[in-house]
């Protein structure tokens, strides 16, 4: 698939525009290829843009596993993307490499209605664990700016509050997240960040989360289904929906609480999911799990370049398991009836 010859947005590394870290890194990489006798002439813009890991629909293959028969975790997908587990990386080394590149990580959070009560724990725990020592810019969408708590942020970290309209349906709040993310990238993040993560607010960081999570397109395996047969995944099963996935297809069930990657790739995810959500809405269809259903459809046919293990999305009510050695990020226990505006 080729990009339009007249794109509305030009995505290039932010540091490339400021003539800092990433440019030096890219030039060094090109030089190394030349020294190794590898021609870089063929690495055209078209080739780079078509390097996405797209899989044809209807392809038949075995479901990948996350834990082997011997009980050991599996650290690579069948399309050779890393699955990030504790013990598969050196955090000191990889953080040091990325810190030299002068990057900014944008992080979007949605806290509408009574969900503002989770902001303090989210932000305080993030400041202790999330990309510590990196430039992080939180973009908080809320209908109650006056309820945003004052949290001391570390050096190079900032918070921008963006007021949005309220909603009397939690499903509607969920459905519009992709649209808000898409527009924010177009209006700001394309010039302000190198990577972006969109995270659920009703969560808490319990352990370090750093540069090992960075990549072109990042998905996280849902903690409730990482050892479930794909025919039992809660995919959207109605063919009338744009999020439809046949029973015989599927890799992993990805959690919608974490979406990440380069600004360009996350924009593509958000735009595609928003368009599919709009088509469903026009046909009076709402996917089983709203944007999470559409995200799983996208990731099935546009493979993530890196997959985060359930360490990066746990649930506080779940007991620890042998394979999950550390819990880095987890959804907190809550009374849904008390925080959601509708059942």
């Amino acid at each position: 698939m080729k990009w339009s010859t007249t794109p509305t947005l030009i995505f290039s590394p932010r540091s490339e525009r400021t003539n800092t870290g990433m440019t030096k890194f890219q030039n060094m990489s090109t030089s190394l290829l030349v020294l190794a006798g590898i021609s870089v002439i063929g690495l055209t813009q078209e080739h780079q843009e078509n390097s996405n890991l797209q899989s044809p629909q209807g392809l038949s293959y075995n479901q990948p596993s996350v834990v082997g028969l011997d009980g050991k975790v599996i650290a690579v997908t069948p399309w050779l993307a890393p699955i990030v587990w504790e013990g598969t990386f050196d955090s000191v080394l990889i953080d040091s490499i990325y810190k030299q590149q002068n990057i900014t990580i944008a992080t979007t959070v949605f806290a509408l209605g009574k969900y503002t009560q989770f902001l303090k724990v989210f932000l305080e725990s993030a400041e202790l664990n999330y990309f510590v020592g990196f430039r992080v810019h939180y973009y908080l969408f809320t209908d109650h700016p006056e309820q945003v708590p004052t949290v001391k942020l570390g050096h190079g970290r900032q918070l921008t509050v963006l007021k949005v309209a309220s909603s009397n349906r939690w499903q509607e709040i969920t459905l519009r997240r992709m649209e808000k993310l898409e527009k924010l990238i177009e209006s700001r993040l394309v010039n302000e960040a190198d990577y972006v993560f969109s995270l659920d607010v009703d969560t808490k960081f319990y352990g370090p989360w750093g540069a090992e999570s960075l990549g072109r397109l990042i998905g996280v395996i849902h903690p409730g289904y990482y050892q479930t047969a794909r025919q039992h995944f809660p995919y959207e099963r109605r063919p009338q929906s744009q999020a439809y996935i046949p029973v015989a297809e599927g890799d992993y069930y990805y959690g919608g609480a974490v979406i990440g990657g380069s600004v360009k790739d996350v924009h593509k995810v958000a735009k595609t999911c928003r368009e599919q959500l709009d088509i469903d809405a026009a046909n009076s269809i709402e996917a089983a799990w709203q944007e999470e259903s559409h995200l799983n459809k996208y990731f099935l046919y546009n493979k993530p370049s890196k997959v985060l293990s359930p360490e990066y999305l746990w649930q506080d009510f779940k007991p620890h398991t042998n394979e999950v050695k550390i819990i880095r990020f987890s959804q907190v226990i809550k009374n849904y009836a008390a925080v959601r505006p509708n059942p």
Side-chain angles (χ1 to χ4, degrees):
M1 182 178 68
K2 296 182 179 180
W3 289 88
S4 167
T5 55
T6 57
T8 56
L9 288 175
I10 298 176
F11 291 90
S12 58
R14 182 191 55 79
S15 51
E16 186 175 88
R17 292 188 291 275
T18 57
N19 196 29
T20 55
M22 187 68 78
T23 302
K24 295 178 182 178
F25 180 80
Q26 290 169 330
N27 290 340
M28 180 178 68
S29 299
T30 301
S31 300
L32 289 172
L33 286 170
V34 173
L35 288 172
I38 300 172
S39 172
V40 296
I41 296 175
L43 298 178
T44 62
Q45 183 69 19
E46 179 180 345
H47 173 82
Q48 293 176 43
E49 290 170 347
N50 287 332
S51 64
N52 295 347
L53 301 170
Q54 294 183 327
S55 172
Q57 297 190 24
L59 192 64
S60 178
Y61 56 90
N62 292 332
Q63 179 185 352
S65 299
V66 177
V67 180
L69 295 177
D70 57 0
K72 295 181 179 179
V73 298
I74 295 173
V76 66
T77 71
W79 58 93
L80 298 181
I83 303 177
V84 183
W85 295 91
E86 175 70 6
T88 62
F89 62 93
D90 186 312
S91 60
V92 173
L93 174 60
I94 196 166
D95 280 359
S96 297
I97 291 171
Y98 276 90
K99 283 177 181 178
Q100 293 182 90
Q101 297 180 23
N102 196 32
I103 61 173
T104 296
I105 300 105
T107 303
T108 65
V109 185
F110 292 77
L112 279 76
K114 295 180 181 179
Y115 274 74
T116 55
Q117 66 186 273
F118 301 110
L119 277 169
K120 185 174 176 61
V121 168
F122 174 89
L123 290 169
E124 288 181 344
S125 64
E127 285 301 290
L128 293 174
N129 297 286
Y130 180 69
F131 286 107
V132 174
F134 286 87
R135 280 203 306 271
V136 173
H137 192 155
Y138 303 102
Y139 296 84
L140 169 61
F141 292 87
T142 183
D143 53 346
H144 292 293
E146 73 283 357
Q147 295 180 13
V148 176
T150 300
V151 173
K152 184 178 180 180
L153 303 180
H155 176 71
R157 301 164 79 92
Q158 58 183 309
L159 170 67
T160 296
V161 177
L162 302 169
K163 192 175 190 312
V164 293
S166 301
S167 176
N168 57 8
R169 291 186 71 242
W170 68 265
Q171 294 93 339
E172 183 64 26
I173 295 171
T174 300
L175 289 166
R176 296 332 311 173
R177 281 174 42 165
M178 289 296 187
E179 178 184 19
K180 298 296 184 186
L181 179 57
E182 176 192 3
K183 300 307 180 188
L184 178 66
I185 291 174
E186 293 174 357
S187 64
R188 299 190 59 165
L189 301 192
V190 67
N191 295 313
E192 298 179 5
D194 301 284
Y195 296 93
V196 56
F197 279 91
S198 182
L199 305 177
D200 274 7
V201 70
D202 51 338
T203 50
K204 181 178 180 179
F205 290 88
Y206 289 100
W209 176 319
E212 77 281 354
S213 66
L214 295 176
R216 182 182 59 79
L217 182 60
I218 307 300
V220 63
I221 297 174
H222 194 292
Y225 302 98
Y226 69 93
Q227 296 195 76
T228 300
R230 60 186 170 194
Q231 63 266 30
H232 300 302
F233 287 164
Y235 288 153
E236 174 54 59
R237 300 300 190 183
R238 293 170 296 174
Q240 298 86 350
S241 172
Q242 296 297 307
Y244 167 67
I245 295 176
V247 172
E249 295 185 46
D251 297 320
Y252 313 106
Y253 188 80
Y254 298 96
V258 178
I259 307 169
S262 72
V263 172
K264 172 183 174 179
D265 283 272
V266 175
H267 177 263
K268 187 176 179 182
V269 173
K271 183 175 187 291
T272 301
C273 289
R274 190 266 306 162
E275 290 172 344
Q276 302 306 306
L277 285 159
D278 286 347
I279 294 173
D280 272 7
N283 293 318
S284 300
I285 299 173
E286 188 174 283
W289 290 102
Q290 296 79 43
E291 96 283 7
E292 185 174 83
S293 297
H294 289 272
L295 180 69
N296 272 275
K297 172 72 172 289
Y298 186 91
F299 279 160
L300 176 57
Y301 302 120
N302 301 270
K303 308 295 191 189
S305 62
K306 183 179 289 185
V307 175
L308 303 182
S309 71
E311 296 173 1
Y312 294 82
L313 181 60
W314 200 247
Q315 295 165 315
D316 280 359
F317 64 82
K318 289 179 66 67
H320 289 204
T321 60
N322 291 333
E323 56 274 3
V324 179
K325 305 301 183 185
I326 180 174
I327 295 172
R328 304 177 190 276
F329 186 60
S330 183
Q331 295 174 313
V332 300
I333 297 173
K334 53 197 164 293
N335 180 354
Y336 283 109
V339 296
R340 287 177 171 175
N342 65 294

